[in-house]
């Protein structure tokens, strides 16, 4: 006989009566990808008397939830199994938080690998617009020692003609979590010259940080300018 508490309805959407009527109902609702893990856990129960495992259960509304189940094998005085006691709790929120952490960790690890590349311009800013970390690429591309920029404002390096729209872009990132892709502006090098940088920036409102990687597109910009000048000269000649 199966005895199931009434709380199972909140957990699975099925009534305790449904589980008592169909002894295989629980097994039929285990997520297919987790069936083998549950099977192996139940096999271990014969040897260990106690097992604990996590798996996805398909609720009555067909939504999947993560359950943590603990099983205890009861034996009589002679050591013969006489029943199984089980307790299941919903750990979906904890699993989701773990997945988010792992995703964040993977992204952070990838960003750290970018920092280690000497020719890549990468930077982390706080929500005051100040640099908190810079990659070695700032030295090779811009001639600037990365440590010298820590705590300095990002806008200090922007060309005067580009400062307003750069400030607007930063404001979007800080207030909406907006991801900036393909933003171009001129930034000052150590020798006072300016180079065009194309930025891809991700905003993390929770940590109040901006993660950016830039590409030097100065040569492309110069070629585009030269092409426009050439086209303008040809147009003027054609009009004469």
């Amino acid at each position: 006989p199966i005895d199931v508490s009434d709380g199972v309805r909140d957990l699975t959407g099925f009534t305790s009566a449904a589980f008592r009527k169909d002894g295989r109902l629980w097994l039929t609702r285990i997520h297919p990808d987790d069936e083998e893990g549950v099977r192996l856990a139940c096999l271990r129960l014969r040897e260990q008397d106690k097992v604990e495992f996590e798996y996805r259960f398909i609720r009555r509304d067909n939504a999947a939830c993560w359950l943590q189940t603990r099983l205890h094998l009861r034996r009589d005085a002679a050591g013969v199994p006489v029943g199984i006691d089980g307790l299941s709790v919903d750990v979906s929120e904890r699993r989701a938080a773990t997945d988010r952490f792992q995703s964040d960790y993977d992204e952070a690890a990838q960003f750290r690998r970018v920092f280690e590349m000497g020719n890549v311009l990468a930077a982390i800013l706080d929500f005051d617009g100040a640099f908190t970390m810079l990659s070695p690429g700032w030295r090779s591309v811009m001639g600037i020692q990365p440590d010298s920029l820590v705590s300095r404002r990002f806008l200090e390096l922007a060309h005067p003609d580009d400062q307003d729209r750069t400030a607007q872009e930063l404001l979007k990132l800080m207030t909406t979590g907006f991801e900036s892709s393909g933003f171009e502006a001129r930034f000052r090098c150590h020798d006072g010259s300016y180079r065009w940088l194309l930025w891809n920036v991700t905003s993390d409102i929770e940590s109040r940080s901006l993660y950016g990687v830039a590409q030097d597109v100065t040569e492309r910009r110069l070629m585009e300018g030269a092409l426009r000048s050439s086209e303008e000269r040809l147009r003027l000649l054609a009009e004469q």
Side-chain angles (χ1 to χ4, degrees):
I2 298 176
D3 186 19
V4 184
S5 69
D6 292 335
V8 74
R9 185 168 188 171
D10 293 333
L11 193 67
T12 69
F14 292 98
T15 64
S16 57
F19 284 104
R20 285 192 288 268
K21 182 178 180 181
D22 183 357
R24 293 186 54 81
L25 177 58
W26 194 280
L27 294 175
T28 62
R29 305 299 291 187
I30 294 171
H31 192 286
D33 292 345
D34 298 329
E35 288 178 353
E36 180 64 11
V38 172
R39 186 184 72 83
L40 293 175
C42 291
L43 290 176
R44 291 199 308 272
L45 182 64
R46 299 177 182 177
E47 301 174 357
Q48 302 174 5
D49 286 359
K50 292 182 180 180
V51 293
E52 179 178 307
F53 51 96
E54 295 184 6
Y55 57 99
R56 283 159 292 184
F57 184 90
I58 310 301
R59 291 170 45 88
R60 189 171 185 273
D61 60 6
N62 288 324
C65 64
W66 277 97
L67 297 183
Q68 180 187 74
T69 294
R70 299 173 183 175
L71 299 179
H72 175 231
L73 182 64
R74 284 187 286 110
R75 299 178 183 271
D76 62 16
V80 178
V82 294
I84 297 174
D85 295 327
L87 173 67
S88 294
V89 294
D90 190 334
V91 293
S92 300
E93 290 188 6
R94 193 254 294 160
R95 292 289 302 218
T98 300
D99 291 343
R100 288 195 299 271
F101 174 81
Q102 185 61 49
S103 177
D104 292 343
Y105 178 84
D106 292 343
E107 290 179 5
Q110 182 177 359
F111 200 75
R112 283 196 297 272
R113 287 194 292 271
V114 170
F115 260 72
E116 295 170 359
M117 300 172 65
N119 61 342
V120 172
L121 285 171
I124 301 176
L125 280 68
D126 60 26
F127 269 26
D128 290 326
F131 290 103
T132 59
M133 187 180 295
L134 300 97
S135 68
W138 286 85
R139 184 187 307 110
S140 57
V141 178
M142 307 292 284
I144 301 174
Q145 292 293 335
D147 291 346
S148 69
L149 289 180
V150 174
S151 297
R152 290 181 58 184
R153 297 298 179 91
F154 184 72
L155 284 177
E156 290 181 27
L157 298 183
H159 190 284
D161 293 343
D162 297 335
Q163 284 190 357
D164 285 347
R165 60 191 188 87
T166 301
Q168 292 173 7
E169 197 75 10
L170 288 175
L171 183 61
K172 289 180 186 177
L173 287 160
M174 295 174 186
T175 57
T176 67
F178 170 81
E179 292 189 4
S180 178
S181 177
F183 175 76
E184 296 185 15
R186 289 161 289 184
F187 290 84
R188 189 174 66 251
C189 299
H190 177 69
D191 61 7
S193 63
Y194 286 87
R195 301 197 71 80
W196 281 96
L197 302 182
L198 182 151
W199 285 93
N200 292 316
V201 184
T202 298
S203 174
D204 185 346
I205 293 180
E206 184 174 346
S207 66
R208 296 179 58 81
S209 297
L210 303 177
Y211 299 86
V213 177
Q215 178 184 356
D216 185 354
V217 293
T218 305
E219 297 304 320
R220 191 204 76 202
R221 279 282 188 160
L222 292 175
M223 286 190 291
E224 290 174 350
L227 180 60
R228 285 194 298 269
S229 297
S230 177
E231 291 174 345
E232 180 64 16
R233 286 195 299 271
L234 290 174
R235 186 185 65 80
L236 293 174
L237 287 173
E239 292 176 354
Q240 290 180 358

